[in-house]
Amino acid sequence: AVESQSLNDSVDLLKKELATLGENITKAQGDTTAADTEREQLLADNETLKDASAAVSELVAKIELRLKKVITLLPEDLKNRESIQQVVRRIPKNPESTRLSLSERMQTIVVLLTEIEKFNGALNIAVETRRIPSGEMAQVTTIYLGLAQGFYVDATRKFAGVLTPGPNGWVATDRNDLAPLIGDVLDLYSKKKQPPQFVSIPVEIK
């Protein structure tokens, strides 16, 4: 009787342990199902991100290619600025093999476009060297009206010209008749000529 009772107690204990084990197995199965569902969702999200990244990468590569062309068409004063040169050097030569991240490449594009837009929205004065009608090289002061047009005149106020953007870069056209007028603009800009006044200059918008 004692052994029978002991066996019954052991059976009851084992039943309780089995019940507990069954609950744990059921819970573990539920956790596994939830983990599998979450894993599948993460994998799906990862594929979506890969597709999005590939699309953005392709777009960035196209923009970089266009910017390389745009840079060659910029005025010399803007194109040769160190701030522009530093950014240009960060554009990858081969988008397929670059080690730069997508965010770094996008940042380069934004910085370059910002610099160009800043130039385009202002009146810019630059000292440059240009060939005058005699064939000699002379130092001239150039006024850029953003990226629309430019005017230059030499120190003697005898030689002048107009700069217009073209398909292969900016084109210089001699206009010595504008020398006094462009000189007046420079004097007003540098406040050598007072009081301030309006000056009409010929601008051709295409």
Side-chain angles (χ1 to χ4, degrees):
V2 172
E3 290 179 357
S4 177
Q5 183 62 42
S6 178
L7 287 172
N8 288 333
D9 291 341
S10 297
V11 169
D12 290 339
L13 182 60
L14 288 172
K15 285 181 179 179
K16 289 180 181 179
E17 290 181 355
L18 284 172
T20 302
L21 183 59
E23 291 175 359
N24 291 337
I25 290 174
T26 301
K27 183 180 178 182
Q29 287 176 339
D31 292 342
T32 301
T33 302
D36 288 341
T37 302
E38 184 177 358
R39 178 173 170 275
E40 290 174 0
Q41 184 61 48
L42 289 173
L43 288 174
D45 291 344
N46 188 48
E47 289 302 318
T48 301
L49 288 174
K50 283 183 179 179
D51 293 340
S53 178
V56 173
S57 180
E58 183 179 352
L59 177 61
V60 167
K62 289 181 180 179
I63 295 175
E64 288 170 339
L65 187 62
R66 293 184 65 182
L67 277 177
K68 288 179 181 179
K69 175 64 176 177
V70 168
I71 291 165
T72 64
L73 304 177
L74 295 177
E76 294 299 319
D77 175 54
L78 177 59
K79 183 166 51 178
N80 294 330
R81 291 182 181 181
E82 184 59 28
S83 58
I84 293 290
Q85 291 296 317
Q86 288 179 351
V87 179
V88 169
R89 285 193 287 268
R90 292 204 295 267
I91 298 178
K93 294 181 179 180
N94 185 357
E96 300 296 330
S97 60
T98 181
R99 294 184 178 180
L100 294 173
S101 66
L102 211 54
S103 61
E104 290 175 320
R105 292 166 63 189
M106 291 180 69
Q107 184 180 15
T108 297
I109 291 171
V110 171
V111 171
L112 186 54
L113 290 176
T114 301
E115 288 293 322
I116 294 174
E117 181 57 31
K118 189 187 300 182
F119 184 94
N120 189 41
L123 187 146
N124 303 275
I125 306 295
V127 176
E128 301 173 328
T129 302
R130 295 194 176 277
R131 192 173 301 279
I132 60 178
S134 65
E136 299 176 333
M137 300 299 292
Q139 189 177 77
V140 299
T141 302
T142 305
I143 306 170
Y144 287 101
L145 304 180
L147 295 173
Q149 196 162 318
F151 302 89
Y152 62 88
V153 64
D154 75 330
T156 66
R157 305 288 172 89
K158 293 181 180 179
F159 305 107
V162 177
L163 295 169
T164 53
N168 298 311
W170 285 62
V171 180
T173 305
D174 293 332
R175 287 291 304 273
N176 293 336
D177 58 303
L178 296 177
L181 191 59
I182 299 171
D184 287 342
V185 173
L186 289 173
D187 288 342
L188 287 168
Y189 182 82
S190 60
K191 298 182 180 180
K192 291 181 180 179
K193 190 172 184 178
Q194 296 289 346
Q197 56 185 284
F198 288 104
V199 178
S200 296
I201 55 177
V203 176
E204 181 182 355
I205 303 297
K206 296 182 180 180

